[in-house]
């Protein structure tokens, strides 16, 4: 697999499966924080930060949704990489639909940014990346942490009064994000990248037990943490929205479609219809990325056609307690 080793791009550098055929996700190296405190190195200033993302990637997608919901589009600029990742890693192909140039450095490849931030970097080159224009470096490349920073540290910069990590819900939000990570968010990858039957079976068992559990929870409440939309829903959404079109087929997570679940499917549509979310979903990029980027899984790179999902179809969840933050609803009305 491909990664940077001492600042050099290597295509033969690491194995992502353990000896027993199970998929092992690597940890991310840039873990600084933007903090709204006078002595902080990285302060939340409008125009200071740039986000490198892929519409294709569920982890990057979390940060794009958070940016949209909080109204940080003017304060934090974005570059979008090509959904197809070959041996050169993520690249900028501005002529392709939905992609952009690297607005900061006009780089051809995302790895160039990593080497700028650390000339001796030894790591995978992943999205999302939160870039600091002032110091010319990477602040952080771990999606859950970037999502949290945008949500909690940019209050004075955000154009909307939306809080996705509200007081009184915080322990629950942290617990849920943690609880869904291994079986669901990472579970689809554990199933898809397993190279032996045992680890695949285990991943699929974990995944569908967890989905069944949350389907039951969502019978009684609108969102994962109760009556408030939170970061936990964003973390769940980016996996669910890819599920029927990609994970079900490409990663062999085919016990059940999300659209067959009584509650997860309306819940997914509810989140999709939350003002600001639909604009972050690029299904063409999502499908192209998965079906063409993993030759071990899909050597002929054929993009599976279906299914045609109606994320805009009405759902019956409006009559439950809670709902999208009022600032989002007001913003959607103004847009109409
Ligand atoms: N832990 C990271 C994972 C990010 C990640 O794995 N991103 C994938 C795209 S979906 C990537 O960039 N992979 C490139 C690689 O592994 O070389 C996060 O949540 O931000």
């Amino acid at each position: 697999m491909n990664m940077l080793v001492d600042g050099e791009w290597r295509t033969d550098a690491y194995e992502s499966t353990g000896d027993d055929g199970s998929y092992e996700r690597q940890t991310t190296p840039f873990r600084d924080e933007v903090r709204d405190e006078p002595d902080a190195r990285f302060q939340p200033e409008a125009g200071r930060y740039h986000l490198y993302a892929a519409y294709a990637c569920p982890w990057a997608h979390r940060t794009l949704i958070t940016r949209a919901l909080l109204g940080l589009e003017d304060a934090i600029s974005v570059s979008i990489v090509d959904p197809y990742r070959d041996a050169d890693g993520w690249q900028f192909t501005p002529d392709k639909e939905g992609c952009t140039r690297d607005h900061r450095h006009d780089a051809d490849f995302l790895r160039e940014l990593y080497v700028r931030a650390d000339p001796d970097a030894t790591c995978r080159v992943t999205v999302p990346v939160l870039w600091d224009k002032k110091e010319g470096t990477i602040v952080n490349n771990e999606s859950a942490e970037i999502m949290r920073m945008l949500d909690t540290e940019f209050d004075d910069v955000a154009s909307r009064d939306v809080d996705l990590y509200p007081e009184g819900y915080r322990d629950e939000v942290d617990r849920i994000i943690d609880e869904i990570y291994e079986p669901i968010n990472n579970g689809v990858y554990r199933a898809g990248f397993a190279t032996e039957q045992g680890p695949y079976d285990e991943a699929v068992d974990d995944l569908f037990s967890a989905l069944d559990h949350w389907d039951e929870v969502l019978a009684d409440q609108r969102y994962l943490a109760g009556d408030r939309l939170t970061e936990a829903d964003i973390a769940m959404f980016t996996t669910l929205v890819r599920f029927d079109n990609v994970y079900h087929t490409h990663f062999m997570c085919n016990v059940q479609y999300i659209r067959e679940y009584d509650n997860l499917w309306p819940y997914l549509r509810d989140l999709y219809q939350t003002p600001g979310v639909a604009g972050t979903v690029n299904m063409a990029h999502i499908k192209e990325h998965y079906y063409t980027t993993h030759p071990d899984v899909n050597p002929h790179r054929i993009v599976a056609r279906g299914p045609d999902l109606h994320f805009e179809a009405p759902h019956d969840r409006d009559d439950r307690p809670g709902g999208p933050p009022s600032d989002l609803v007001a913003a959607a009305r103004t847009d109409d």
Side-chain angles (χ1 to χ4, degrees):
M1 291 290 271
N2 318 321
M3 66 182 285
L4 287 168
V5 177
D6 298 329
E8 296 291 325
W9 185 246
R10 296 265 302 271
T11 54
D12 57 352
Y14 82 103
E15 290 296 327
S16 60
T17 40
D19 293 343
D20 64 349
S22 62
Y23 171 61
E24 289 174 359
R25 185 173 286 281
Q26 315 287 307
T27 52
T28 42
F30 294 95
R31 308 298 280 271
D32 278 314
E33 288 176 359
V34 177
R35 277 191 290 117
D36 192 7
E37 284 167 19
D39 62 342
R41 174 175 166 200
F42 299 106
Q43 310 231 354
E45 298 160 36
R48 177 165 171 179
Y49 299 98
H50 189 78
L51 192 58
Y52 289 98
Y55 284 131
C57 165
W59 316 103
H61 195 179
R62 298 168 164 195
T63 65
L64 291 173
I65 295 175
T66 311
R67 172 178 174 265
L69 295 183
L70 272 80
L72 285 166
E73 291 96 330
D74 292 337
I76 301 179
S77 44
V78 167
S79 297
I80 302 286
V81 295
D82 192 312
Y84 175 56
R85 199 180 73 228
D86 64 11
D88 278 317
W90 294 113
Q91 53 184 298
F92 298 97
T93 53
D95 294 337
K96 194 159 165 180
E97 179 82 39
C99 304
T100 71
R101 52 187 276 266
D102 165 16
H103 300 92
R104 295 304 307 157
H105 314 93
D106 248 334
D108 292 321
F109 300 100
L110 188 70
R111 63 176 193 254
E112 295 169 47
L113 282 309
Y114 274 71
V115 177
R116 267 177 193 264
D118 176 3
D120 301 318
T122 295
C123 60
R124 286 162 56 226
V125 173
T126 58
V127 282
V129 169
L130 187 66
W131 180 267
D132 176 25
K133 301 177 191 174
K134 200 161 164 180
E135 289 198 16
T137 194
I138 295 174
V139 182
N140 192 296
N141 70 338
E142 178 58 44
S143 61
E145 292 175 6
I146 299 174
M147 174 164 73
R148 177 65 46 83
M149 280 177 239
L150 301 190
D151 188 15
T152 58
E153 305 302 310
F154 284 80
D155 286 358
D156 296 339
V157 175
S159 69
R160 274 183 221 124
D161 185 17
V162 170
D163 185 358
L164 301 166
Y165 190 54
E167 294 285 354
Y169 290 74
R170 293 186 166 190
D171 289 348
E172 189 65 353
V173 172
D174 287 337
R175 187 188 66 75
I176 296 167
I177 289 177
D178 198 41
E179 191 178 314
I180 66 177
Y181 174 81
E182 207 44 70
I184 298 180
N185 304 132
N186 199 38
V188 291
Y189 287 89
R190 285 167 50 215
F193 290 151
T195 56
E196 291 185 26
Q197 189 71 43
Y200 164 79
D201 285 336
E202 201 178 307
V204 168
D205 286 345
D206 290 352
L207 170 64
F208 284 94
S209 311
L211 290 175
D212 292 348
H213 165 73
W214 288 106
D215 190 59
E216 267 177 53
V217 170
L218 289 166
D220 299 324
Q221 61 192 50
R222 187 156 178 182
Y223 298 114
L224 297 188
D227 58 0
R228 293 275 302 252
L229 176 75
T230 67
E231 291 174 16
D233 299 296
I234 297 176
M236 181 69 111
F237 175 80
T238 65
T239 296
L240 293 188
V241 78
R242 285 160 176 73
F243 202 98
D244 288 5
N245 280 123
V246 174
Y247 302 142
H248 179 280
T249 304
H250 182 62
F251 281 170
M252 298 195 294
C253 298
N254 61 354
V255 174
Q256 200 168 326
Y257 284 104
I258 298 300
R259 64 181 172 176
E260 293 167 344
Y261 278 95
D262 289 343
N263 303 298
L264 282 172
W265 173 223
Y267 164 77
L268 174 57
R269 301 203 305 278
D270 188 7
L271 295 182
Y272 182 90
Q273 293 167 34
T274 301
V277 172
T280 66
V281 179
N282 186 325
M283 197 54 82
H285 276 213
I286 291 170
K287 291 181 80 162
E288 179 182 340
H289 168 68
Y290 283 96
Y291 286 110
T292 66
T293 298
H294 310 128
D296 289 352
V297 178
N298 189 28
H300 298 296
R301 300 195 160 96
I302 290 166
V303 180
R305 180 79 57 89
D308 193 10
L309 297 169
H310 298 284
F311 293 117
E312 310 79 9
H315 58 81
D316 59 359
R317 301 183 67 81
D318 316 70
D319 51 7
R320 286 158 207 249
S326 51
D327 243 39
L328 283 180
V329 178
R333 276 203 208 100
T334 324
D335 291 348
D336 281 349

